[in-house]
Amino acid sequence: MASSRSTTRPQRASSPTSTSPPWCGCPAANNKPGSISTLPADTAFDDDLGHLHGALADWPAPVAALLAATERDAVSRHDIYDRTIARTWISGAVTLVGDAAHPMRPHLGQGGCQALEDAATLAQLLAQQHPVDAFAAYESARRRRALRYVRLSALAGRVQLIPDALRPMAYRLFAGVPERMVARQLSAIASATAFG
Ligand SMILES: Cc1cc2nc3c(=O)[nH]c(=O)nc-3n(C[C@H](O)[C@H](O)[C@H](O)COP(=O)(O)OP(=O)(O)OC[C@H]3O[C@@H](n4cnc5c(N)ncnc54)[C@H](O)[C@@H]3O)c2cc1C
């Protein structure tokens, strides 16, 4: 919960680089506890805090206590917009890192990880060579890997945009996927090294 209420409602992104309608993430009532759900771009609630009380009713402590202690005006809503990966990350003595270079949807939990990998890679290269060369080497080392997670995150987000009517069936199907298969997928992401 942030300290100010955003009155902004989802709108179509005006940027020509937008690749798909904006979307917003928050827990939905029929979602599993602890996960992020994607809501259609035009979703709006008259009472955001009331929605959260309902949506998170089954969540473990201390979620209910936190919500009870939250003022209605303290709920902040931030819609999330898609933007394609920057065509180039470098301009003269400036280079982009993290979301500025390759924003991605949060569904894989990789945006922050990739930003850290950018920083670590850049620091390593800057210690070894002239900044102009280091910037070029940085982009060439990072671009492909970051783009992979941009695409995978987009896919994971899109899967969540299934119609409400199909959600229970989708969850049943997902529950049937053996845990070791899910773990294998996630560990392939988590264990891939950025410094190959
Ligand atoms: C709901 C959600 C869940 C997520 N979950 C995960 C997760 O589990 N794991 C994960 O790895 N990632 C996750 N992410 C993604 C992660 O938060 C971002 O990818 C990460 O914060 C990007 O870091 P950054 O430093 O590039 O950008 P930011 O964290 O956005 O930092 C940019 C900073 O620049 C400041 N700034 C902006 N404009 C100016 C200006 N003009 N002057 C000065 N300062 C300015 C901003 O205030 C901000 O502090 C999630 C994102 C969301 C939305």
Side-chain angles (χ1 to χ4, degrees):
M1 303 296 163
S3 59
S4 66
R5 180 187 173 85
S6 163
T7 52
T8 313
R9 286 292 178 256
Q11 299 162 353
R12 299 222 164 248
S14 55
S15 159
T17 56
S18 170
T19 53
S20 66
W23 58 285
C24 56
C26 83
N30 54 358
N31 203 0
K32 291 181 176 175
S35 62
I36 293 175
S37 125
T38 305
L39 301 174
D42 55 358
T43 304
F45 303 107
D46 290 336
D47 174 8
D48 289 335
L49 184 58
H51 167 73
L52 288 173
H53 274 290
L56 306 181
D58 297 337
W59 282 36
V63 174
L66 286 172
L67 285 177
T70 300
E71 303 274 341
R72 189 173 288 222
D73 285 349
V75 176
S76 181
R77 172 178 174 142
H78 300 281
D79 301 324
I80 299 175
Y81 294 82
D82 281 329
R83 202 204 73 202
T84 47
I85 189 166
R87 200 161 41 85
T88 174
W89 300 353
I90 308 161
S91 176
V94 176
T95 188
L96 302 177
V97 294
D99 279 6
H102 44 68
M104 60 189 79
R105 297 185 186 200
H107 297 87
L108 275 188
Q110 275 294 312
C113 300
Q114 294 305 309
L116 290 171
E117 287 186 9
D118 285 350
T121 304
L122 192 54
Q124 196 178 56
L125 292 166
L126 279 169
Q128 293 164 354
Q129 46 196 301
H130 187 277
V132 172
D133 300 325
F135 281 4
Y138 152 73
E139 180 168 352
S140 117
R142 295 290 306 146
R143 191 173 186 87
R144 202 158 147 232
R145 180 170 161 87
L147 187 56
R148 176 163 178 255
Y149 291 115
V150 169
R151 288 178 175 151
L152 280 174
S153 301
L155 182 66
R158 231 171 273 131
V159 166
Q160 292 222 358
L161 272 178
I162 48 172
D164 279 350
L166 297 179
R167 245 167 224 275
M169 190 178 76
Y171 284 143
R172 270 200 301 278
L173 280 175
F174 186 68
V177 177
E179 204 174 314
R180 66 177 183 285
M181 266 179 73
V182 179
R184 202 183 310 138
Q185 286 291 334
L186 293 177
S187 75
I189 291 170
S191 63
T193 175
F195 306 101

